[in-house]
Short mmCIF file of all heavy atoms in Angstrom, two decimals:
data_model
loop_
_atom_site.label_atom_id
_atom_site.label_comp_id
_atom_site.label_asym_id
_atom_site.label_seq_id
_atom_site.Cartn_x
_atom_site.Cartn_y
_atom_site.Cartn_z
N LEU D 299 -42.63 -27.60 129.24
CA LEU D 299 -42.01 -28.54 130.17
C LEU D 299 -42.81 -29.83 130.27
O LEU D 299 -42.25 -30.93 130.35
CB LEU D 299 -41.89 -27.89 131.56
CG LEU D 299 -40.82 -26.81 131.71
CD1 LEU D 299 -41.01 -26.06 133.03
CD2 LEU D 299 -39.41 -27.43 131.67
N LEU D 300 -44.11 -29.72 130.25
CA LEU D 300 -44.97 -30.91 130.33
C LEU D 300 -44.86 -31.78 129.09
O LEU D 300 -45.14 -32.98 129.13
CB LEU D 300 -46.43 -30.49 130.56
CG LEU D 300 -46.76 -30.02 131.98
CD1 LEU D 300 -48.13 -29.36 132.02
CD2 LEU D 300 -46.71 -31.19 132.97
N ARG D 301 -44.44 -31.19 127.96
CA ARG D 301 -44.28 -31.98 126.74
C ARG D 301 -42.94 -32.69 126.69
O ARG D 301 -42.73 -33.58 125.85
CB ARG D 301 -44.44 -31.07 125.51
CG ARG D 301 -45.89 -30.68 125.24
CD ARG D 301 -46.06 -30.13 123.83
NE ARG D 301 -45.41 -28.85 123.66
CZ ARG D 301 -46.00 -27.66 123.88
NH1 ARG D 301 -47.26 -27.62 124.31
NH2 ARG D 301 -45.35 -26.54 123.67
N MET D 302 -42.03 -32.32 127.58
CA MET D 302 -40.75 -33.03 127.67
C MET D 302 -40.97 -34.38 128.36
O MET D 302 -42.00 -34.59 129.01
CB MET D 302 -39.73 -32.19 128.43
CG MET D 302 -39.31 -30.91 127.73
SD MET D 302 -38.10 -29.94 128.70
CE MET D 302 -36.69 -31.09 128.73
N PRO D 303 -40.03 -35.33 128.22
CA PRO D 303 -40.15 -36.61 128.92
C PRO D 303 -40.34 -36.40 130.43
O PRO D 303 -39.59 -35.65 131.05
CB PRO D 303 -38.83 -37.32 128.61
CG PRO D 303 -38.38 -36.74 127.32
CD PRO D 303 -38.82 -35.30 127.35
N GLN D 304 -41.35 -37.05 130.98
CA GLN D 304 -41.69 -36.91 132.40
C GLN D 304 -41.23 -38.14 133.17
O GLN D 304 -41.37 -39.27 132.71
CB GLN D 304 -43.19 -36.72 132.57
CG GLN D 304 -43.76 -35.53 131.81
CD GLN D 304 -43.33 -34.20 132.39
OE1 GLN D 304 -43.65 -33.89 133.54
NE2 GLN D 304 -42.60 -33.41 131.60
N TYR D 305 -40.69 -37.89 134.36
CA TYR D 305 -40.20 -38.97 135.21
C TYR D 305 -40.77 -38.79 136.61
O TYR D 305 -41.12 -37.67 137.02
CB TYR D 305 -38.67 -38.97 135.26
CG TYR D 305 -38.03 -39.26 133.92
CD1 TYR D 305 -37.78 -38.22 133.02
CD2 TYR D 305 -37.70 -40.55 133.56
CE1 TYR D 305 -37.20 -38.49 131.78
CE2 TYR D 305 -37.11 -40.82 132.32
CZ TYR D 305 -36.88 -39.78 131.45
OH TYR D 305 -36.30 -40.05 130.22
N SER D 306 -40.83 -39.90 137.35
CA SER D 306 -41.38 -39.87 138.70
C SER D 306 -40.34 -40.34 139.71
O SER D 306 -39.47 -41.16 139.38
CB SER D 306 -42.63 -40.75 138.80
OG SER D 306 -43.66 -40.27 137.96
N ALA D 307 -40.44 -39.84 140.93
CA ALA D 307 -39.57 -40.27 142.03
C ALA D 307 -40.32 -40.12 143.34
O ALA D 307 -41.03 -39.12 143.54
CB ALA D 307 -38.29 -39.44 142.04
N ALA D 308 -40.18 -41.10 144.21
CA ALA D 308 -40.78 -41.04 145.55
C ALA D 308 -39.74 -40.54 146.53
O ALA D 308 -38.78 -41.25 146.84
CB ALA D 308 -41.29 -42.42 145.96
N LEU D 309 -39.90 -39.30 147.00
CA LEU D 309 -38.90 -38.67 147.85
C LEU D 309 -39.59 -37.88 148.96
O LEU D 309 -40.67 -37.31 148.75
CB LEU D 309 -38.01 -37.71 147.05
CG LEU D 309 -37.19 -38.31 145.90
CD1 LEU D 309 -36.54 -37.21 145.08
CD2 LEU D 309 -36.13 -39.27 146.45
N PRO D 310 -38.96 -37.80 150.14
CA PRO D 310 -39.49 -36.97 151.22
C PRO D 310 -38.94 -35.55 151.11
O PRO D 310 -38.03 -35.28 150.33
CB PRO D 310 -38.96 -37.66 152.47
CG PRO D 310 -37.61 -38.17 152.02
CD PRO D 310 -37.77 -38.56 150.56
#
Side-chain angles (χ1 to χ4, degrees):
L299 287 168
L300 285 168
R301 285 196 291 270
M302 293 179 64
Q304 303 290 298
Y305 296 87
S306 297
L309 299 171

